[in-house]
Amino acid sequence: MQRPKHILFVTPWIYDFAAFDFWMKPLGLLSLAALFRDNGYSVNYLDCLMDHDLADQAHRKTRRTEHGTGHFDKEAIVKPAPLAFFQRRYYRYGIPMGLFRRKLLSIPPPDMVLVTSMMTYWYPGAFEAIHLLRASLPGVPILLGGNYATLCPDHARQSGADRIFPGPGEWHFSEIIKTFFNDRPRILPDFDDLDTYPRPAFDLLGRLDQVPLLTSRGCPFRCSYCASNQLYPKFMRRHPLRVAEEIFDWHDRFGVRHFSIYDDAFLVDPPSLALPLLDTIVQRKANLSFHCPNGLHLRQITPVLSRMLYRAGFRTLRFGFETFDPDRQATTGGKVNNDHLIAAVRYLCEAGYEASDIGVYLLCGLPGQTAEEIDGSIRFVQSLGAKPYLAEYSPIPGTALWPEALQSSPYDLLNEPLCHNNTLLPCAGDTLPEPAYRELKLKTRMSPR
Ligand code: B12
Ligand code: SF4
């Protein structure tokens, strides 16, 4: 009998001015690993961001929280030429190069490597990983996918990968194994039914401090600054009971107590997903904690939903509010208005949350946005006792706001994804000068009145 083909999955380093592990795990890449494994392939995982091997952690300088966040190890590096002008240090976040090479040698030689990518402006990490893999594994096909490959496919063709695969990897699975191994799939999900997709192979990470959940793909809204619809044109959800089964399975088999929610639209239409799911979690009395680093929708918050979120253990709440300016709320997609925020804070507090537990994302640096607008939004959030967080705008190719982003930015957004980096505030013009931005950032840290 033929030995099963070995497939290696790689999460690259992050090259950036700042990066923090805010419940970050390679959910998409490990979903593909699960699909390969279900089809009889043997799979391995190499994480450039973190060493998951407990026996090999002596080099680590950074600590992690017990709920699954923490700093990455990092090394200061020379800025790439397009960012040389920017007065901040630039880092490679993740494990040392030497450890990467050692780990690569310690696993069975792969027959194929799949590299993922997340932010468009993190591509140097993917390029570096591909370069090193190519040098160590001559002749082995290296494939690149993920958000960068989906949003900047032409640029990604310079990565050195043999092929790039934009969009959900599941859609390409048959083609990949046919092209490279002349194989045919034994098991394929029904692409229109998320309940048939395999669960991400997080077991490959070893000890699990937290597990991210994806109960849906896409979003029914169409906000002008957001990539959700390009990445997942159709809004699809899982059955709440399948999600509950997944949660309790991670808990029962791996002792996981902390979960993060990666959905773009977790709370949309609560009776069809959130309410039955929360109800099942409450019934189990399993003492779990849930964290929502990716913003939740405010307009769905009702007294009932607030109580259920509280009782089910939703501890880290972040909502996408973006601005208190009604005109901008309307022109960017109309997902929320000020009354939604006022009502949500009231209901959540009545349910048991402290107002300061309620994190509210505010977009900062949109084309034409003024410091006064952002200041007003911060004050509005603080006047309710909630906690504002600035989300610096990263322009994304293909979004409705992209043409305006190109016009407003002094940088070459079109040809150089490094310039999408939100730290640059690439589309903030004279209406948001750097000192004003720094002052606003400080204001978000002041205690609410
Ligand atoms: C969860 C999330 C986060 C998490 C972290 C997640 C993580 N794993 O690292 C948190 C909350 C921390 C986060 C933070 C930010 N995020 Co974010 N995030 C997301 C989100 C919602 C989901 C990502 C995800 O896991 N998707 C689900 C899985 C299934 O998809 P996937 O990983 O892409 O994998 C699939 C395919 O890509 C493909 N695939 C993947 N790899 C490979 C490899 C091969 C070989 C193949 C064939 C296929 C393939 O197949 C997979 C399965 O279908 C996306 C939006 C989205 N819907 O994707 C935004 C998104 C990526 N984030 C974005 C932004 C702007 C940010 C922030 C900058 C926000 C801010 N202003 O502060 C920060 C930056 C963080 C930092 N500097 O450290 C933007 C991207 C911007 C850009 N220019 O690239 C996105 C697209 C959201 C948006 N509004 O448009 N984010
Ligand atoms: S509601 Fe959120 S996820 Fe949906 S399109 Fe708007 S910003 Fe994107």
Side-chain angles (χ1 to χ4, degrees), residues 21-25 64 67-69 202 205 208-212 256 258-260 262 291:
D21 178 2
F22 199 47
W23 291 287
M24 238 187 228
K25 293 259 191 289
R64 300 189 54 77
H67 53 262
T69 63
F202 288 123
L205 302 183
L208 283 173
D209 48 9
Q210 65 98 4
V211 160
V256 179
H258 292 273
F259 294 87
S260 51
Y262 274 12
H291 309 276

Side-chain angles (χ1 to χ4, degrees), residues 8-23:
L8 175 62
F9 294 82
V10 177
T11 300
W13 291 273
I14 293 174
Y15 283 56
D16 207 335
F17 299 103
F20 183 72
D21 178 2
F22 199 47
W23 291 287

